Coordinates of all heavy atoms in Angstrom, one line a residue:
D1 N 17.9 86.3 11.6 CA 18.8 87.4 12.1 C 19.7 86.8 13.1 O 19.4 86.5 14.2 CB 18.0 88.5 12.7 CG 18.8 89.7 13.0 OD1 20.1 89.6 12.8 OD2 18.3 90.8 13.4
G2 N 21.0 86.7 12.7 CA 22.0 86.1 13.6 C 22.6 87.0 14.6 O 23.6 86.6 15.3
R3 N 22.2 88.2 14.7 CA 22.7 89.2 15.7 C 22.2 88.8 17.1 O 21.1 89.2 17.5 CB 22.4 90.6 15.3 CG 22.9 91.0 13.9 CD 22.4 92.4 13.5 NE 21.0 92.4 13.4 CZ 20.2 93.5 13.3 NH1 20.8 94.7 13.2 NH2 18.9 93.4 13.2
V4 N 23.1 88.2 17.9 CA 22.6 87.7 19.2 C 22.2 88.8 20.1 O 21.2 88.7 20.8 CB 23.8 86.9 19.8 CG1 23.4 86.5 21.3 CG2 24.1 85.6 19.0
P5 N 22.8 90.0 20.1 CA 22.3 91.1 21.0 C 20.9 91.5 20.7 O 20.3 92.2 21.5 CB 23.4 92.2 20.8 CG 24.6 91.5 20.3 CD 24.1 90.4 19.5
E6 N 20.5 91.3 19.4 CA 19.1 91.7 19.0 C 18.0 90.7 19.3 O 16.9 91.0 19.0 CB 19.2 92.1 17.5 CG 20.0 93.2 17.2 CD 19.6 94.5 17.8 OE1 18.3 94.8 17.8 OE2 20.4 95.2 18.4
I7 N 18.4 89.5 19.9 CA 17.3 88.5 20.0 C 16.2 89.0 20.9 O 15.0 88.9 20.5 CB 18.0 87.2 20.7 CG1 18.9 86.6 19.7 CG2 16.9 86.3 21.1 CD1 19.7 85.4 20.3
I8 N 16.5 89.6 22.0 CA 15.4 90.0 22.9 C 14.5 91.1 22.2 O 13.3 91.2 22.4 CB 16.0 90.6 24.2 CG1 16.6 89.4 25.0 CG2 14.9 91.2 25.1 CD1 15.7 88.3 25.3
N9 N 15.2 92.0 21.5 CA 14.4 93.1 20.8 C 13.6 92.5 19.6 O 12.5 93.0 19.3 CB 15.4 94.1 20.2 CG 16.1 94.9 21.3 OD1 15.6 95.1 22.4 ND2 17.4 95.3 21.0
N10 N 14.1 91.4 19.0 CA 13.4 90.9 17.8 C 12.2 90.0 18.2 O 11.2 90.0 17.4 CB 14.4 90.0 17.0 CG 15.3 90.8 16.1 OD1 15.0 91.9 15.7 ND2 16.5 90.2 15.8
L11 N 12.2 89.4 19.3 CA 11.1 88.5 19.7 C 9.8 89.2 19.7 O 8.8 88.6 19.1 CB 11.4 87.8 21.0 CG 12.5 86.8 21.1 CD1 12.8 86.3 22.5 CD2 12.1 85.6 20.2
P12 N 9.6 90.3 20.3 CA 8.2 91.0 20.2 C 7.8 91.4 18.8 O 6.6 91.5 18.5 CB 8.4 92.2 21.1 CG 9.6 91.9 22.0 CD 10.5 91.1 21.1
V13 N 8.8 91.6 17.9 CA 8.5 92.0 16.6 C 8.2 90.8 15.7 O 7.1 90.8 15.0 CB 9.7 92.8 16.0 CG1 9.4 93.2 14.5 CG2 10.0 94.0 16.8
V14 N 9.0 89.8 15.8 CA 8.8 88.6 14.9 C 7.6 87.8 15.4 O 6.8 87.2 14.7 CB 10.0 87.7 15.0 CG1 9.8 86.4 14.3 CG2 11.2 88.5 14.3
Q15 N 7.4 87.8 16.8 CA 6.3 87.0 17.4 C 6.3 85.5 16.9 O 5.4 85.0 16.4 CB 4.9 87.6 17.1 CG 4.7 89.0 17.6 CD 3.3 89.5 17.4 OE1 2.7 89.3 16.3 NE2 2.8 90.2 18.4
P16 N 7.5 84.9 17.2 CA 7.6 83.5 16.7 C 6.8 82.5 17.6 O 6.4 82.8 18.7 CB 9.1 83.2 17.0 CG 9.5 84.1 18.1 CD 8.7 85.3 17.9
T17 N 6.5 81.4 17.0 CA 5.8 80.3 17.8 C 6.9 79.2 18.2 O 6.6 78.5 19.2 CB 4.8 79.6 16.9 OG1 5.4 79.1 15.7 CG2 3.7 80.6 16.5
I18 N 8.0 79.2 17.6 CA 9.1 78.3 17.9 C 10.4 78.9 17.8 O 10.6 79.8 16.9 CB 9.1 77.0 17.1 CG1 9.1 77.3 15.6 CG2 7.9 76.1 17.4 CD1 9.2 76.1 14.7
M19 N 11.4 78.6 18.6 CA 12.7 79.1 18.5 C 13.7 78.1 19.2 O 13.4 77.5 20.2 CB 12.9 80.4 19.2 CG 14.3 81.1 19.0 SD 14.6 82.6 20.0 CE 15.2 81.8 21.5
A20 N 14.8 77.8 18.5 CA 15.8 76.9 19.0 C 17.0 77.8 19.5 O 17.3 78.8 19.0 CB 16.3 75.9 18.0
G21 N 17.7 77.2 20.5 CA 18.8 78.0 21.1 C 19.7 77.1 21.9 O 19.4 75.9 22.2
V22 N 20.8 77.6 22.3 CA 21.7 76.9 23.2 C 21.4 77.3 24.7 O 20.7 78.4 24.9 CB 23.2 77.2 22.9 CG1 23.5 76.6 21.5 CG2 23.4 78.7 22.9
P23 N 21.8 76.6 25.7 CA 21.4 76.9 27.1 C 21.7 78.3 27.5 O 21.0 78.9 28.2 CB 22.2 75.9 27.9 CG 22.3 74.7 27.0 CD 22.4 75.2 25.6
R24 N 22.8 78.9 27.0 CA 23.3 80.2 27.4 C 22.2 81.3 27.1 O 22.0 82.2 27.9 CB 24.6 80.6 26.7 CG 25.1 82.0 27.0 CD 25.4 82.0 28.5 NE 25.9 83.3 28.9 CZ 25.7 83.9 30.1 NH1 25.0 83.2 31.0 NH2 26.2 85.1 30.4
I25 N 21.4 81.1 26.0 CA 20.4 82.1 25.7 C 19.3 82.0 26.7 O 18.7 83.0 27.1 CB 19.8 81.8 24.3 CG1 20.9 82.1 23.2 CG2 18.5 82.5 24.0 CD1 21.3 83.6 23.2
Y26 N 18.9 80.8 27.1 CA 17.8 80.6 28.1 C 18.3 81.1 29.5 O 17.5 81.7 30.2 CB 17.3 79.2 28.1 CG 16.9 78.7 26.8 CD1 17.6 77.7 26.1 CD2 15.8 79.3 26.1 CE1 17.2 77.3 24.8 CE2 15.4 78.9 24.9 CZ 16.1 77.9 24.2 OH 15.7 77.5 23.0
E27 N 19.6 81.0 29.7 CA 20.1 81.5 31.0 C 20.0 83.0 31.0 O 19.7 83.6 32.0 CB 21.6 81.1 31.1 CG 21.7 79.6 31.4 CD 23.2 79.1 31.2 OE1 24.1 80.0 31.0 OE2 23.4 77.9 31.3
K28 N 20.3 83.7 29.8 CA 20.2 85.1 29.8 C 18.8 85.6 29.9 O 18.5 86.6 30.6 CB 20.8 85.6 28.4 CG 22.3 85.5 28.3 CD 22.8 86.1 27.0 CE 24.3 86.1 27.0 NZ 24.8 86.7 25.7
I29 N 17.8 84.9 29.3 CA 16.4 85.3 29.4 C 16.0 85.2 30.9 O 15.3 86.1 31.4 CB 15.5 84.4 28.5 CG1 15.8 84.7 27.0 CG2 14.1 84.7 28.8 CD1 15.1 83.8 26.1
Y30 N 16.4 84.1 31.5 CA 16.0 83.8 32.9 C 16.6 84.9 33.8 O 15.9 85.4 34.6 CB 16.6 82.4 33.2 CG 16.6 82.1 34.7 CD1 15.4 81.5 35.3 CD2 17.7 82.2 35.5 CE1 15.4 81.1 36.6 CE2 17.7 81.9 36.9 CZ 16.6 81.3 37.4 OH 16.6 81.0 38.7
A31 N 17.9 85.2 33.6 CA 18.5 86.3 34.4 C 17.9 87.6 34.2 O 17.6 88.4 35.1 CB 20.0 86.3 34.1
G32 N 17.5 87.9 32.9 CA 17.0 89.2 32.6 C 15.6 89.4 33.2 O 15.3 90.5 33.7
V33 N 14.8 88.4 33.2 CA 13.4 88.5 33.8 C 13.5 88.6 35.3 O 12.9 89.5 35.9 CB 12.6 87.3 33.3 CG1 11.2 87.4 34.1 CG2 12.3 87.4 31.8
N34 N 14.3 87.8 35.9 CA 14.4 87.7 37.3 C 15.1 89.0 37.9 O 14.8 89.4 39.0 CB 15.2 86.5 37.8 CG 14.4 85.3 37.8 OD1 13.2 85.3 38.1 ND2 15.0 84.2 37.4
A35 N 15.9 89.7 37.1 CA 16.5 91.0 37.5 C 15.4 92.0 37.8 O 15.6 92.9 38.7 CB 17.4 91.5 36.5
Q36 N 14.2 91.9 37.2 CA 13.1 92.8 37.4 C 12.5 92.6 38.8 O 11.8 93.5 39.3 CB 12.1 92.7 36.4 CG 12.6 92.9 34.9 CD 11.5 92.7 33.9 OE1 10.3 92.8 34.2 NE2 11.9 92.5 32.7
F37 N 12.7 91.4 39.4 CA 12.0 91.1 40.6 C 13.0 91.2 41.8 O 12.6 90.8 42.9 CB 11.4 89.7 40.6 CG 10.5 89.5 39.4 CD1 10.6 88.4 38.6 CD2 9.5 90.4 39.2 CE1 9.8 88.1 37.6 CE2 8.6 90.2 38.1 CZ 8.8 89.1 37.3
E38 N 14.2 91.7 41.6 CA 15.2 91.8 42.7 C 14.8 92.9 43.6 O 14.2 93.9 43.2 CB 16.6 92.0 42.1 CG 17.1 90.7 41.4 CD 18.5 91.0 40.8 OE1 19.0 92.1 40.8 OE2 19.1 90.0 40.3
G39 N 15.3 92.8 44.8 CA 15.1 93.9 45.8 C 13.9 93.7 46.7 O 13.6 94.6 47.5
G40 N 13.2 92.6 46.5 CA 12.0 92.4 47.4 C 10.8 93.2 47.0 O 10.7 93.7 45.9
G41 N 9.9 93.5 48.0 CA 8.8 94.2 47.7 C 7.6 93.4 47.1 O 7.8 92.2 46.9
A42 N 6.5 94.0 46.9 CA 5.3 93.3 46.4 C 5.5 92.6 45.1 O 5.0 91.5 44.9 CB 4.1 94.3 46.3
K43 N 6.2 93.3 44.2 CA 6.4 92.7 42.9 C 7.2 91.4 43.0 O 6.8 90.4 42.3 CB 7.2 93.7 42.0 CG 7.2 93.4 40.5 CD 7.9 94.5 39.8 CE 7.9 94.2 38.3 NZ 8.6 95.3 37.5
A44 N 8.2 91.3 43.8 CA 9.0 90.1 43.9 C 8.2 89.0 44.6 O 8.3 87.8 44.2 CB 10.2 90.4 44.8
K45 N 7.4 89.4 45.6 CA 6.5 88.4 46.3 C 5.5 87.8 45.4 O 5.2 86.6 45.4 CB 5.8 89.1 47.5 CG 6.8 89.4 48.6 CD 6.1 90.1 49.8 CE 7.1 90.4 50.9 NZ 6.4 91.1 52.0
I46 N 4.9 88.6 44.5 CA 3.9 88.1 43.6 C 4.6 87.2 42.6 O 4.0 86.1 42.2 CB 3.2 89.3 42.8 CG1 2.4 90.1 43.8 CG2 2.4 88.8 41.6 CD1 1.8 91.4 43.2
A47 N 5.8 87.5 42.1 CA 6.5 86.7 41.2 C 6.8 85.3 41.8 O 6.7 84.3 41.2 CB 7.7 87.4 40.7
D48 N 7.3 85.4 43.1 CA 7.7 84.1 43.8 C 6.5 83.2 43.9 O 6.5 82.0 43.7 CB 8.3 84.5 45.1 CG 9.7 85.0 45.1 OD1 10.3 84.9 44.0 OD2 10.1 85.6 46.1

């Protein structure tokens, strides 16, 4: 499925064991996950 906006939605459904990508995709995943830990608090401290 080449629809880039659907990658994050597809991963839990497909449950792949391997995936290739360009750096920009890993940057987006990194930013998306870290956005959940912004603002400090216990959740951010546990993640750090």
